[in-house]
Amino acid sequence: MAIAIKMPALSPTMEEGTLAKWLVKEGDSVKSGDIMAEIETDKATMEFEAVDEGVVARILVAEGTDNVKVGTDILLLAEEGEDASTASAGAATKDDTPEATAKADENKPADAVEDSAHPAQEKVDTGARQLFEAAAHKAEVADPEVPAGTEMVKTTVREALRDAMAEEMRADDRVFVMGEEVAQYQGAYKVTQGLLDEFGERRVIDTPITEYGFAGIGTGAAMSGLRPIVEFMTFNFAMQAIDHIINSAAKTNYMSGGQMRCPIVFRGPNGAASRVGAQHSQNYGPWYASVPGLIVIAPYDAADAKGLLKAAIRSQDPVVFLENELMYGRSFDVPKLDDWVLPIGKARIVREGKDVTIVSYSIGVGISLEAADRLAEEGIDAEVIDLRTLRPLDKDTVLKSLAKTNRLVVAEEGWPTCSIASEIMAICMEEGFDDLDAPVLRVANEDVPLPYAANLEKLALIDADRVVKAVKKVCYK
Amino acid sequence: MAKAPRASEPPIPNRERPGEPQPYEATQEELLQFYKEMLLIRRFEEKAGQLYGLGLIGGFCHLYIGQEAVAVGLQSALDGEKDSVITGYRDHGHMLAYGIDPQVIMAELTGRGAGISRGKGGSMHMFSTEHKFYGGHGIVGAQVSLGAGLAFKHKYSGDGGVCLAYFGDGAANQGQVYESFNMAELWKLPIIFVIENNQYAMGTSVNRASSEDQLYRRGESFRIPGIQVDGMDVLACRGAAEEALAWVRAGKGPVILEMKTYRYRGHSMSDPAKYRSREEVQSVRDKSDPIEHVKKLLEERGVKEDELKTLEQAIRKQVNAAADFAEQTPEPDAAELYTDVLVERY
C-alpha cells in the first residue's frame, strides 16, 4: 500500500512552510537517507530526507507552494512491488514520516536548540503552544509614542530586532555584535540575519562556545568605550557568564565613582520555549531585575522590540535585553519612522479597562490579552499593562491603573517565588494599599523545573484560563 | 656509542617564538626612578598595613610588598598614551607605578569622598580611566577576560595600544582565563597576560593547586608563547616587557609572562600566613629583595648613601602626607549613596 508523506514540522513552533524544491520526481526510486525536498521555514531552508523505501508514485504539492500546513500529504510513495501508477491518494497514512535535517547541521554546536531537526509531529497541545498562540494577540491601544498617521509595516519580532541592530550599527561604528553563530550561520535563531553581509567580520563576530569568556571580552570592550551587543544563544547559557553581567558590568560605574561606564547590551531569548526541558526553559527577568546598576528590558511585540533595542544600544548603562523565542516569528505592526526609539522605563497600557488591572510582560502579555477577551464576554472589563522594562520598573503606570480599577492580577511566564509578580505585589501593598478592594494575586508558572512531557509542560506553564480565574477571584465573581 | 641519541639534540621550535629577553640596560636616571617607584610602593603598603591595624582601612586589603619590581618594571615599558592596564584586587602597586597620586589611593582605602572611587570602591575596586588603568577587580580571574576586551578595543579601533592584564597564580586556574587565551590568540588580540606568580594562592602553594606548575607553559595548547621571568629583578621585568611588547605590537598575538615573585605579607591583612615558615619569608627578603637589589646597583654605580637617604625621606614624607590626608578628609556625603548607580535617568 502506498505511503503518504506529510509536510514535516521542522522546528518546535513551525505551523506551515514553503515547499521550495522537489529533488525527486515521479517514478524515482528512493531509499532511506535520500534527500527528497527542500523546505523553507521562516528561519532556514531545510533538507527533507526519506525514511521509507519505494517509488515516488505521485507528488501532491507542487514545488514553490507557500504556506503548506504541517501534516499535509505532500507525496505518495509506492512500496516495493506496488504499481506506482495506481497508488491512490487515499493511501494509508504512515505515522513515522521522514526526518528532516538542517542543511547547516555540520556547523552547528551540539546545544543549538533552535534548528534541531524534530521528527514531523502532529500538533501537540502543549503549554508552550498555548503561549505561542496567545502571542498572536495585538495591543488594542495604539502606542502614544507613535505620531498619528504614521504608516505601519508588518514585521516579525525577529526582523524588528535585526533592523534595530542594523540601524544602530549604521549610525555608530562603536556598535558591534558578538556571540555564538551570529555571523556566518546568520544567528542560531536568525536574529542577526544579513548583518555579516552588511557590516563584515570586524563588527559581526562569531565566538567559540565560551559564554563566560566572551561576556567578559564584551564587558571589557564596553569599559574602554565600545558599544557591544553580546548575543547569548539563550539566556540559559548566560548563567555561565552571569558573573560578568553582574559583578563586572552592573557594578562598575558605582564602584568607580562614576568614572568607568559600561554601555553594553546582553541579549537573547529568555523564558520557556517549546518542549526543551528544564535547563533550556527559564525566565531570568526577576534575577537580573534585582540587580542595581542594570537595565532590564523584556518586550512583547515587534514595535517594542525594535524601539527598545535601539534605546538599549544607545544607553550608557548595561542592559539585559530579554527576548522570547516563541515570539520571534510573530508579526506585528511597526511604525515606519526613520528613527523609532522608545523610552526605557515606561510601561504601556495595551488594553484599557475599568474593572481590573492585569500586569504582565513579554509573552505573558499575549496570555493577558486573551484572558481580557474572555473576561469581556463575561462582562469584566480588564485593563492590561505591559511593563516592557523590568528595571527600572514603571511603578507610576501600575499604581495609576490600580487607583482606577482597584483590583490587580500579575501574569508572569516564570516562577512565582521572588518574581516580578512578587515585586508588583509589594509595590501595591506599600504604595497602593488604600486603592485595593481585593488582595493582589499572581498567576505564574508552577514552582517546579519545567518538565519535558507535553501534558506536564502544559500543567506547569501559565495560561489564559488561570488568569481568568484569578481575575474573577479579585472581582469576587 | 657511535651516534648521539636524538633526545640530546636541541629542540627545534615548531613555530616562531619571542626571543630570550635580556636584562634592561637602564640609565642612571631610569634606575633611580625604578628605585623611587618601588620604594614608594613599599612604604605606601607598609603604611596601609598600619592604618588597617588602626581600623582606618576596612574589609580586604591585599598588600604588594615584595612584588614591587613586577609592576614598576613592566609598566615603565608602556606607552602611556595608548596602552592599557588591568589587574585584580592586589592593585595599589600598579596604580602607584602609574604615577597616580598616593593621596587619592590612600583616601580610597580609608573610604573617603576624596578617594579615587569617591569612597565607593575600596582597596579592590579602583580605576583611573585617565591613565587607562581599568581596575581593580575583586573576582579572581575576571580581569583576564575584561583585559581581553580592552585588547579587543585596541584592535577594533586600531589605536595601536596593547593591554597588560595581570593575574595571579591562583587566577591561572580559572576557566575563563583559558576561554580568554583561546579567543585572544584566535583573534590575535594585542595583550600581554602577566601571571604574577607569588607562589601562594591565598594559602595554597602553586604545586598543590596546579598540575602544570610552570605557569608560563599554560598557553601552549592555545599556541600562545610564554616566558618565565625573575620578578624580583626590575631590570629583568623591564627586559621581558620589551620583548613581549615587540611581539604583540608586531601583530603576532598575545604572549604570557610568568613573573616569579613573592609576597612578604599574608594574602590579605587578615591572613596569618601559617602555610609557610618565617624562615622562608626571611630568606627571600635577605637574598632577593627587589628594592635592595636596585639599591645595590645604584651604590655600585656610585650613588652616595646620603643621596638615597634623602630620597627615602622624601618618600616617607609623601606617604605620611597621603595617610594624613586619607585620615582627615571627610567620608562621602550621604547623598553619594544613590549616585552613579546608573549613568542616565529613565
Side-chain angles (χ1 to χ4, degrees):
Chain A
M1 190 178 285
I3 301 161
I5 309 295
K6 290 168 182 268
M7 182 71 169
L10 301 174
S11 80
T13 50
M14 176 175 166
E15 308 256 282
E16 58 184 36
T18 298
L19 213 164
K21 195 173 175 190
W22 281 113
L23 298 169
V24 293
K25 56 184 189 303
E26 289 176 5
D28 283 359
S29 293
V30 290
K31 57 180 192 311
S32 70
D34 287 350
I35 296 161
M36 297 206 294
E38 286 179 3
I39 290 170
E40 278 174 22
T41 70
D42 56 344
K43 295 166 206 163
T45 302
M46 314 278 278
E47 287 179 349
F48 180 53
E49 248 179 48
V51 169
D52 300 295
E53 307 208 337
V55 175
V56 177
R58 197 142 15 115
I59 283 172
L60 302 173
V61 174
E63 67 178 29
T65 310
D66 291 330
N67 310 114
V68 182
K69 293 261 181 274
V70 168
T72 310
D73 290 349
I74 55 174
L75 179 142
L76 282 181
L77 200 63
E79 286 181 296
E80 212 180 324
E82 191 180 353
D83 182 356
S85 61
T86 62
S88 74
T93 298
K94 186 96 172 175
D95 284 339
D96 51 338
T97 46
E99 290 195 18
T101 19
K103 252 187 174 173
D105 246 3
E106 307 104 75
N107 304 323
K108 203 178 56 168
D111 55 353
V113 294
E114 182 264 348
D115 282 336
S116 49
H118 291 251
Q121 55 183 221
E122 290 303 320
K123 198 164 165 177
V124 181
D125 185 21
T126 66
R129 184 164 291 281
Q130 287 188 342
L131 285 173
F132 174 66
E133 280 166 5
H137 284 74
K138 307 283 188 315
E140 292 178 13
V141 182
D143 192 320
E145 304 284 338
V146 182
T150 304
E151 185 190 338
M152 302 300 260
V153 182
K154 278 257 176 287
T155 313
T156 62
V157 171
R158 170 181 289 117
E159 291 160 346
L161 293 166
R162 193 262 324 273
D163 293 348
M165 288 188 279
E167 286 177 18
E168 293 308 299
M169 287 175 81
R170 276 174 215 133
D172 185 348
D173 184 66
R174 296 173 303 172
V175 182
F176 68 95
V177 190
M178 75 191 310
E180 293 155 10
E181 309 291 2
V182 298
Q184 292 191 15
Y185 193 87
Q186 306 289 327
Y189 292 88
K190 298 288 172 277
V191 175
T192 53
Q193 193 146 35
L195 294 185
L196 177 65
D197 292 343
E198 182 175 351
F199 300 102
E201 57 188 21
R202 173 174 168 262
R203 300 179 69 193
V204 186
I205 301 151
D206 277 329
T207 65
I209 303 172
T210 178
E211 282 84 7
Y212 198 4
F214 71 71
I217 288 177
T219 304
M223 287 171 173
S224 57
L226 298 182
R227 298 287 181 127
I229 303 169
V230 170
E231 175 176 308
F232 292 114
M233 195 180 287
T234 87
F235 261 93
N236 302 284
F237 312 154
M239 291 273 267
Q240 305 238 20
I242 200 165
D243 173 49
H244 280 303
I245 301 173
I246 293 172
N247 271 319
S248 303
K251 298 177 183 173
T252 294
N253 193 57
Y254 192 80
M255 290 197 305
S256 70
Q259 250 194 87
M260 205 161 94
R261 294 171 180 185
C262 191
I264 187 169
V265 177
F266 299 103
R267 53 153 288 272
N270 171 65
S274 183
R275 306 287 310 279
V276 290
Q279 290 183 332
H280 285 76
S281 310
Q282 188 175 333
N283 175 1
Y284 291 91
W287 287 46
Y288 292 112
S290 74
V291 181
L294 284 181
I295 299 292
V296 185
I297 297 172
Y300 171 64
D301 67 18
D304 285 1
K306 183 175 183 188
L308 287 168
L309 184 53
K310 279 167 69 83
I313 294 166
R314 289 183 197 183
S315 169
Q316 300 209 61
D317 292 302
V319 180
V320 170
F321 197 90
L322 304 168
E323 298 156 11
N324 190 294
E325 184 198 331
L326 298 169
M327 297 295 296
Y328 280 146
R330 285 288 182 213
S331 291
F332 294 90
D333 284 340
V334 173
K336 193 177 175 181
L337 293 167
D338 287 343
D339 196 19
W340 168 241
V341 187
L342 279 167
I344 291 170
K346 274 223 168 101
R348 172 185 174 198
I349 294 167
V350 290
R351 185 187 194 281
E352 279 177 354
K354 59 181 191 334
D355 298 333
V356 60
T357 303
I358 306 173
V359 176
S360 193
Y361 63 95
S362 188
I363 201 159
V365 174
I367 291 281
S368 303
L369 288 168
E370 184 180 322
D373 283 350
R374 281 201 234 157
L375 289 160
E377 288 164 19
E378 299 185 43
I380 297 173
D381 186 16
E383 178 146 299
V384 179
I385 294 176
D386 177 359
L387 291 170
R388 303 200 286 195
T389 302
L390 304 182
R391 184 181 188 99
L393 203 60
D394 183 358
K395 290 197 281 191
D396 291 350
T397 299
V398 173
L399 290 168
K400 217 185 260 174
S401 179
L402 176 64
K404 179 170 84 172
T405 65
N406 306 116
R407 295 159 208 279
L408 195 139
V409 168
V410 190
E412 181 169 17
E413 192 278 281
W415 288 319
T417 309
C418 302
S419 56
I420 298 296
S422 311
E423 183 62 25
I424 299 283
M425 293 166 95
I427 290 167
C428 292
M429 286 293 282
E430 288 170 349
E431 298 177 51
F433 189 75
D434 291 342
D435 291 323
L436 284 168
D437 283 350
V440 178
L441 293 184
R442 61 184 147 183
V443 184
N445 295 348
E446 290 303 311
D447 209 3
V448 296
L450 197 71
Y452 169 72
N455 64 328
L456 298 182
E457 185 194 69
K458 192 175 166 193
L459 288 170
L461 293 174
I462 60 162
D463 56 31
D465 283 348
R466 283 172 240 199
V467 179
V468 167
K469 218 164 132 193
V471 167
K472 283 180 167 171
K473 203 165 167 191
V474 300
C475 292
Y476 302 115
K477 280 186 180 167
Chain B
M1 277 204 322
K3 214 174 162 190
R6 281 184 70 88
S8 70
E9 289 171 13
I12 301 161
N14 61 357
R15 55 182 187 268
E16 194 193 354
R17 286 176 182 279
E20 191 62 37
Q22 299 304 313
Y24 183 66
E25 288 181 18
T27 63
Q28 184 94 333
E29 201 183 323
E30 284 175 317
L31 201 58
L32 214 51
Q33 183 61 25
F34 294 159
Y35 182 68
K36 267 202 261 184
E37 287 177 11
M38 290 199 290
L39 202 59
L40 173 64
I41 296 172
R42 178 73 55 95
R43 295 288 166 265
F44 181 96
E45 295 290 65
E46 287 167 351
K47 181 59 80 177
Q50 199 180 17
L51 296 186
Y52 192 92
L54 294 171
L56 286 159
I57 296 174
F60 296 128
C61 185
H62 310 84
L63 303 181
Y64 201 60
I65 298 175
Q67 302 179 214
E68 296 91 344
V70 177
V72 169
L74 296 184
Q75 277 163 242
S76 68
L78 296 182
D79 181 336
E81 294 296 307
K82 48 189 188 180
D83 297 332
S84 57
V85 165
I86 190 165
T87 185
Y89 42 72
R90 195 180 303 284
D91 58 353
H92 315 164
H94 306 88
M95 302 186 76
L96 291 166
Y98 248 147
I100 297 169
D101 183 0
Q103 291 203 358
V104 297
I105 305 174
M106 198 67 97
E108 188 59 36
L109 301 189
T110 55
R112 305 304 165 110
I116 195 161
S117 299
R118 293 190 188 176
K120 287 152 83 173
S123 163
M124 300 186 286
H125 313 114
M126 295 193 279
F127 313 83
S128 174
T129 47
E130 181 198 337
H131 289 86
K132 298 200 186 308
F133 176 76
Y134 290 92
H137 294 270
I139 305 298
V140 178
Q143 76 272 24
V144 182
S145 304
L146 296 171
L150 300 174
F152 179 93
K153 154 71 164 54
H154 289 310
K155 186 167 188 202
Y156 187 90
S157 57
D159 62 14
V162 170
C163 173
L164 204 59
Y166 292 94
F167 55 106
D169 47 283
N173 290 325
Q174 287 279 27
Q176 66 172 315
V177 169
Y178 299 91
E179 299 189 22
S180 303
F181 280 4
N182 185 38
M183 285 180 278
E185 177 63 29
L186 198 61
W187 300 337
K188 297 279 183 219
L189 298 182
I191 183 166
I192 301 173
F193 295 109
V194 183
I195 306 175
E196 291 195 75
N197 180 357
N198 66 18
Q199 333 259 348
Y200 293 92
M202 203 165 143
T204 306
S205 63
V206 170
N207 48 23
R208 285 208 298 130
S210 303
S211 52
E212 170 56 275
D213 62 2
Q214 299 303 301
L215 302 178
Y216 71 98
R217 293 185 187 147
R218 287 290 186 90
E220 283 303 316
S221 59
F222 304 94
R223 307 181 78 88
I224 301 176
I227 303 171
Q228 202 167 45
V229 185
D230 178 0
M232 304 303 270
D233 176 352
V234 74
L235 299 178
C237 294
R238 172 66 187 260
E242 296 285 341
E243 198 62 48
L245 281 166
W247 176 268
V248 176
R249 289 209 207 278
K252 294 175 182 173
V255 62
I256 293 169
L257 296 180
E258 181 195 357
M259 317 304 288
K260 297 276 276 189
T261 182
Y262 199 79
R263 70 170 147 75
Y264 296 175
R265 296 291 187 94
H267 164 72
S268 70
M269 284 304 296
S270 52
D271 171 19
K274 290 279 181 353
Y275 42 82
R276 59 184 188 188
S277 66
R278 188 168 293 176
E279 290 73 30
E280 179 184 310
V281 182
Q282 198 53 47
S283 158
V284 178
R285 270 182 181 268
D286 291 344
K287 289 182 197 147
S288 32
D289 185 77
I291 297 176
E292 285 304 315
H293 170 241
V294 175
K295 193 176 180 182
K296 216 149 83 199
L297 289 178
L298 285 168
E299 281 167 359
E300 280 167 20
R301 291 194 188 187
V303 179
K304 296 273 175 302
E305 191 156 356
D306 278 3
E307 202 182 324
L308 293 177
K309 198 149 248 161
T310 315
L311 201 148
E312 280 178 45
Q313 279 165 351
I315 286 170
R316 210 173 271 283
K317 216 171 137 193
Q318 189 187 8
V319 168
N320 286 338
D324 289 346
F325 174 76
E327 212 175 316
Q328 284 154 15
T329 189
E331 290 185 310
D333 193 272
E336 283 287 334
L337 180 61
Y338 301 105
T339 59
D340 297 321
V341 177
L342 294 173
V343 179
E344 295 185 34
R345 291 186 161 274
Y346 302 92

